[in-house]
Amino acid sequence: MAKVRLKKISKEREFLMVADLAHEIWREHYAGIVSADQVEYMLEKFQSPSAINAAVTGEGYEYYLIRKGLVPIGYVGIRAHQPQGKLFLSKFYILKEYRGQGHARDVITELSEMAKDMRIPAIWLTASKKNASSIAAYEHLGFRKTGDVCNDIGNGFVMDDYVFEMEV
């Protein structure tokens, strides 16, 4: 099976492509985890083309398309999080039909190599406490639960998450 690869994005059309992927993935994946209203709010606030552009150009994030050959099957968003000296995996999403095929491991392997190249010793992320499938996947990939956090994201919504970390 061919490995998936990450392609760094920086153009408006690529931001649109990621936003389209986010809309498809989030509406499917978060059904039953958070309300549809919260999903729509988070898509607009965090995953609209303008929000992605702002994250890339002004907040130090890098976004990558996950590609199988030339086909985009998902995306990741990362930031070298200097206060902790760790790589923050902010977004990690794969289309439903490509899950369970080892692609997540390919992505984590590539991100681990990137972290090593930056002399960053660990990758950390957050996952909703209600998101059992993602929690299981992260644990299977070698992440360990290190805490929890609850963040008010506005409009009456919160993200009640576990924090995970993996040394690279």
Side-chain angles (χ1 to χ4, degrees):
M1 177 181 0
K3 288 188 174 192
V4 296
R5 298 283 183 219
L6 300 181
K7 180 197 180 292
K8 188 173 182 178
I9 66 168
S10 62
K11 298 178 178 88
E12 185 64 30
R13 66 178 169 74
E14 295 168 324
F15 299 153
L16 285 165
M17 196 178 306
V18 167
D20 286 346
L21 283 165
H23 280 74
E24 181 177 346
I25 295 167
W26 286 37
R27 288 180 178 130
E28 171 268 319
H29 185 74
Y30 285 111
I33 296 173
V34 297
S35 71
D37 287 344
Q38 183 168 345
V39 169
E40 296 306 315
Y41 174 76
M42 292 185 342
L43 283 169
E44 182 58 35
K45 182 173 176 102
F46 302 118
Q47 296 300 266
S48 65
S50 61
I52 296 166
N53 185 21
V56 169
T57 60
E59 299 171 23
Y61 284 88
E62 296 177 355
Y63 271 72
Y64 296 82
L65 283 170
I66 302 168
R67 297 193 319 180
K68 186 173 184 175
L70 296 176
V71 178
I73 66 165
Y75 68 99
V76 295
I78 63 170
R79 183 173 69 173
H81 205 270
Q82 297 310 313
Q84 286 105 347
K86 300 170 188 166
L87 185 73
F88 178 41
L89 177 52
S90 172
K91 309 287 185 288
F92 186 9
Y93 296 98
I94 296 175
L95 289 165
K96 184 177 184 174
E97 59 266 29
Y98 293 97
R99 293 182 204 144
Q101 300 175 26
H103 302 315
R105 179 147 324 269
D106 292 345
V107 171
I108 294 301
T109 298
E110 197 164 336
L111 291 175
S112 294
E113 291 303 316
M114 290 168 66
K116 287 176 188 174
D117 289 346
M118 292 185 276
R119 294 189 167 93
I120 295 175
I123 300 171
W124 72 281
L125 58 88
T126 60
S128 171
K129 291 177 181 177
K130 297 178 182 177
N131 194 345
S133 64
S134 292
I135 289 169
Y138 292 133
E139 289 175 337
H140 180 74
L141 290 167
F143 285 86
R144 61 181 172 76
K145 197 181 308 175
T146 60
D148 58 15
V149 62
C150 188
N151 290 312
D152 183 337
I153 60 170
N155 212 38
F157 299 118
V158 297
M159 292 192 319
D160 190 16
D161 296 337
Y162 289 122
V163 178
F164 291 87
E165 186 173 313
M166 180 182 79
E167 293 181 10
V168 295

